[in-house]
Amino acid sequence: WVFQSGHSDSADPETFRQHMLDSAEMDEKKRKGGPRGRNDEDDQDDEGHADESSAAPKSEEAAKDWKYIKVPGLSFLPGLLCPHHDMVQSNGVLRSDDFDGMLLRHRGERGIGIDHWCSLVVEGGRYRVVYHDDRPGSVVVDDATGETCFCPERTGHPGVWIKEVVDGVVEQWVCPPEGKVSDLLRFPSSELVEDSLELAECRCANPDVATDAPCD
């Protein structure tokens, strides 16, 4: 994370170290004619491309029990970042909705939501938004009002959303295609607060090295 903090799927067991190692072993067996590994058609996104983020469940009952968490970043850039902003992952929760809830708990931070098929490029004091023209995204224009709106069904083009809490409500607007970094990002208006309990639980469940020690 190059931002100060991020909306993360690190509590998804499919991202855990041991799961990744086991999946790599399964992939090797697959190449030798054994059972399939993680990066196969069952683990592709809705456009048919394998990705590091887990795929949406095929039914409500199939949703997995994990939650997005707030994680600290490297703080090269100010703000709270949400990648895959327009996607639903294996827990069945739309990331943009959960991101709004996180911002309401951390009201002093500006949120930056980047759609799955979009990138934010920062070069010096300027930025630009880059996205795939032929891929779906959340940015649509209302034919009746001409206003730009967020579409959870992803019938528009990919984009970057800027979010802030104003009078207890999350307000959002589309990031211009290019501009000054100083116009896009700002430092928090209050002290950064980490979700310490969620972080501790995630780190215990996914240690740097294998351990049999219980999580307190």
Side-chain angles (χ1 to χ4, degrees):
W1 299 94
V2 298
F3 282 77
Q4 287 175 309
S5 51
H7 181 272
S8 174
D9 62 357
S10 294
D12 178 357
E14 290 185 28
T15 70
F16 287 1
R17 173 182 178 275
Q18 192 58 52
H19 178 87
M20 292 291 190
L21 291 174
D22 293 343
S23 295
E25 183 178 350
M26 291 177 65
D27 287 338
E28 182 62 25
K29 290 179 179 179
K30 171 194 168 185
R31 284 189 287 272
K32 296 179 179 179
R36 297 184 304 178
R38 169 184 163 89
N39 292 323
D40 207 76
E41 55 263 30
D42 288 340
D43 195 30
Q44 294 177 343
D45 65 22
D46 61 346
E47 283 80 55
H49 297 271
D51 184 77
E52 72 277 6
S53 59
S54 56
K58 296 181 179 180
S59 66
E60 187 174 328
E61 294 73 22
K64 298 182 180 180
D65 185 20
W66 60 270
K67 297 179 180 180
Y68 300 108
I69 62 174
K70 184 174 186 282
V71 298
L74 296 174
S75 297
F76 294 145
L77 297 172
L80 174 54
L81 173 69
C82 178
H84 312 293
H85 177 256
D86 57 336
M87 297 291 286
V88 176
Q89 293 183 218
S90 63
N91 59 4
V93 179
L94 180 63
R95 287 193 74 151
S96 62
D97 286 348
D98 195 86
F99 189 40
D100 287 355
M102 184 176 289
L103 286 168
L104 288 170
R105 298 192 301 273
H106 301 273
R107 300 189 178 196
E109 299 184 61
R110 169 170 283 189
I112 303 295
I114 302 178
D115 281 354
H116 184 69
W117 290 110
C118 190
S119 297
L120 179 66
V121 180
V122 175
E123 297 176 313
R126 298 191 63 81
Y127 76 85
R128 56 191 171 92
V129 176
V130 180
Y131 63 87
H132 292 264
D133 292 318
D134 60 344
R135 298 298 184 187
S138 65
V139 182
V140 299
V141 177
D142 189 296
D143 292 332
T145 65
E147 294 181 353
T148 303
C149 306
F150 177 83
C151 178
E153 289 78 23
R154 305 174 72 220
T155 59
H157 67 77
V160 175
W161 292 87
I162 307 170
K163 297 190 172 191
E164 287 193 344
V165 177
V166 179
D167 296 330
V169 177
V170 177
E171 294 190 357
Q172 63 179 7
W173 61 97
V174 174
C175 176
E178 60 180 325
K180 296 180 180 179
V181 174
S182 58
D183 292 335
L184 171 63
L185 306 177
R186 67 162 177 79
F187 286 94
S189 59
S190 58
E191 184 179 356
L192 286 179
V193 178
E194 301 296 347
D195 294 335
S196 301
L197 179 59
E198 293 177 349
L199 272 174
E201 291 175 346
C202 182
R203 287 167 174 163
C204 185
N206 183 30
D208 290 337
V209 295
T211 177
D212 295 327
C215 293
D216 295 329

